[in-house]
């Protein structure tokens, strides 16, 4: 059990199939991954299991565990046991001592529960994580819009502008946390104030996107009162709707449709091949809004966390 020696071992590391394999070389080039964060369990030159962490470019410590695979031709008890041994070994060598491991993310098919094979792949990896102390946190929908997809026309009820100053968006983010259905936001609110949660989200994610901040939009009524906001961005992989929300006092009026239409329009003007987004499986109102806007559910994501 060891990390890869460098980029030259990516072929060996990619012996096990997964949708992120095609991104690993560029991730290493861009500093989103390091060889010492990419671990393998080997029997000779046969790859039995692997694990890899990801971070934003130049990050000193891993931000998420997003690759965990085992050879699915092995008997179930063996592959789970090997996965557990590899993950424990890799975590001990890679993560700061005494720290809580970063969140685990697995990209899965939208119908993963319907087939014995797809269900087994997901559940085996979850079993490995559970043996190391992780628990299911949330399941999310992965959504995609393609150019030419019809969607609702803007209602004309709202006007849009860019944020007036760097402090406006964090202030609006604080307000929309009231009544949020997002599992990560609700977890943050259990541990800190709304202002602290919004500030951390803004500084750790939104402010770090290198795409133009003049893509961001605040929606306002004719009297100039803000209704909500949308953050179109590019995350280094895809054009995305990074954040979309309506202020509590304006919910229930389908203003989210106008916001989503505007955010998608901004990104479509950049001639992108697709726009991606995600929302919690349990956030039915937001999922319905994306569906009305022509976004298709092309996959899901499992998040697991350690306490």
């Amino acid at each position: 059990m060891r990390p890869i020696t460098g980029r030259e071992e990516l072929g060996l590391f990619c012996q096990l199939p997964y949708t992120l394999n095609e991104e690993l070389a560029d991730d290493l080039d861009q500093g989103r991954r390091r060889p010492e964060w990419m671990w393998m369990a080997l029997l000779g030159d046969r790859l039995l299991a692997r694990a890899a962490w990801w971070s934003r470019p130049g990050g000193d410590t891993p931000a998420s565990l997003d690759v965990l695979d085992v050879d699915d031709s092995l008997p179930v008890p063996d592959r789970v046991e090997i996965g557990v041994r590899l993950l424990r070994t890799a975590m001990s060598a890679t993560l700061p001592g005494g720290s809580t491991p970063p969140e685990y993310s697995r990209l899965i098919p939208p119908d993963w529960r319907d087939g014995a094979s797809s269900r087994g792949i997901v559940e085996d990896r979850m079993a490995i994580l559970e043996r190391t102390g992780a628990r299911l946190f949330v399941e999310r929908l992965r959504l995609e819009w393609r150019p030419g997809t019809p969607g609702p026309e803007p209602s004309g009820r709202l006007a849009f502008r860019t944020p007036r100053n760097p402090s406006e968006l964090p202030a609006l983010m604080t307000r929309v946390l009231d009544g949020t259905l997002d599992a990560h936001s609700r977890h943050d609110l259990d541990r800190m104030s709304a202002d602290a949660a919004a500030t951390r989200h803004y500084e750790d994610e939104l402010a770090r996107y290198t795409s133009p901040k003049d893509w961001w939009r605040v929606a306002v009524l004719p009297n100039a009162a803000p209704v909500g906001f949308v953050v179109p961005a590019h995350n280094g992989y895809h054009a995305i709707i990074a954040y979309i929300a309506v202020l509590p006092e304006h919910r229930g009026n389908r203003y989210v449709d106008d916001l989503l239409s505007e955010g998608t329009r901004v990104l479509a003007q950049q001639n992108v091949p697709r726009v991606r987004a995600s929302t919690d499986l349990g956030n039915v109102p937001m999922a319905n809004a994306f569906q009305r806007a022509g976004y298709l559910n092309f996959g899901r994501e499992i998040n697991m966390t350690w306490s």
Side-chain angles (χ1 to χ4, degrees):
M1 295 187 181
R2 64 171 177 84
I4 65 172
T5 57
R7 203 175 189 276
E8 67 278 3
E9 284 200 312
L10 276 181
L12 176 60
F13 189 82
C14 290
Q15 283 183 4
L16 297 179
Y18 184 45
T19 186
L20 294 185
N21 281 1
E22 62 189 30
E23 298 177 357
L24 298 179
D26 189 59
D27 282 349
L28 283 169
D29 292 343
Q30 299 300 322
R32 293 185 286 253
R33 299 187 193 272
R34 298 182 183 182
E36 61 268 28
W37 295 353
M38 303 174 68
W39 279 72
M40 303 181 293
L42 297 165
L43 182 62
D45 59 358
R46 179 185 176 188
L47 181 64
L48 301 181
R50 64 177 186 168
W53 284 268
W54 175 94
S55 181
R56 295 190 181 280
D60 293 330
T61 57
S64 69
L65 173 68
D66 63 346
V67 176
L68 177 63
D69 285 303
V70 291
D71 184 341
D72 293 303
S73 69
L74 295 169
V76 175
D78 291 348
R79 61 180 179 248
V80 170
E81 186 61 35
I82 291 170
V84 170
R85 288 177 55 199
L86 173 65
L87 186 55
R88 285 177 173 162
T89 301
M91 289 168 68
S92 177
T94 304
L95 304 179
S99 65
T100 301
E103 184 175 276
Y104 168 72
S105 166
R106 177 81 185 179
L107 306 182
I108 54 180
D111 56 353
W112 69 273
R113 288 182 175 87
D114 296 341
S117 176
S118 59
R119 187 182 187 109
I121 288 172
V122 176
E123 291 182 344
D124 286 348
R125 284 141 184 82
M126 292 179 70
I128 293 168
L129 272 291
E130 288 169 352
R131 286 269 300 276
T132 69
R135 293 293 179 268
L136 176 64
F137 181 73
V138 70
E139 183 172 340
R140 291 172 62 79
L141 302 174
R142 302 180 67 213
L143 306 151
E144 183 176 273
W145 176 90
R146 294 271 184 165
T149 302
E153 292 295 323
S155 68
R157 297 178 297 170
L158 303 173
F160 295 92
R161 60 170 174 78
T162 57
R164 288 197 177 109
N165 53 60
S167 64
E168 183 179 22
L169 198 65
L172 292 174
M173 291 170 65
T174 300
R175 292 172 63 185
V176 301
L177 288 175
D178 181 12
T180 180
L181 297 178
D182 180 82
H184 287 88
S185 295
R186 293 174 69 170
H187 179 66
D188 286 343
L189 293 175
D190 288 338
R191 300 177 298 142
M192 64 188 76
S193 68
D195 179 67
T199 299
R200 192 178 78 161
H201 186 174
Y202 179 84
E203 293 179 349
D204 289 353
E205 181 180 348
L206 304 187
R208 293 175 180 242
Y209 289 127
T210 58
S211 49
K213 291 181 174 56
D214 62 10
W215 291 359
W216 301 2
R217 295 290 187 269
V218 176
V220 297
L221 293 168
N223 64 2
V227 162
F229 60 88
V230 61
V231 179
H234 198 289
N235 64 3
Y237 302 97
H238 304 284
I240 61 169
I241 300 295
Y243 202 140
I244 182 170
V246 176
L247 295 172
E249 62 269 28
H250 294 294
R251 290 171 186 158
N253 298 306
R254 286 203 175 179
Y255 288 135
V256 67
D257 289 359
D258 299 82
L259 281 160
L260 187 50
S261 175
E262 175 67 8
T264 304
R265 183 194 65 79
V266 169
L267 293 172
Q269 285 186 331
Q270 314 309 314
N271 295 316
V272 298
R274 67 188 62 85
V275 177
R276 293 245 171 119
S278 60
T279 192
D280 290 358
L281 181 62
N283 192 344
V284 176
M286 189 61 73
N288 288 342
F290 277 107
Q291 184 178 39
R292 291 192 298 270
Y295 283 71
L296 298 179
N297 174 211
F298 74 97
R300 293 195 183 188
E301 177 184 2
I302 290 287
N303 293 156
M304 297 181 71
T305 58
W306 289 258
S307 56

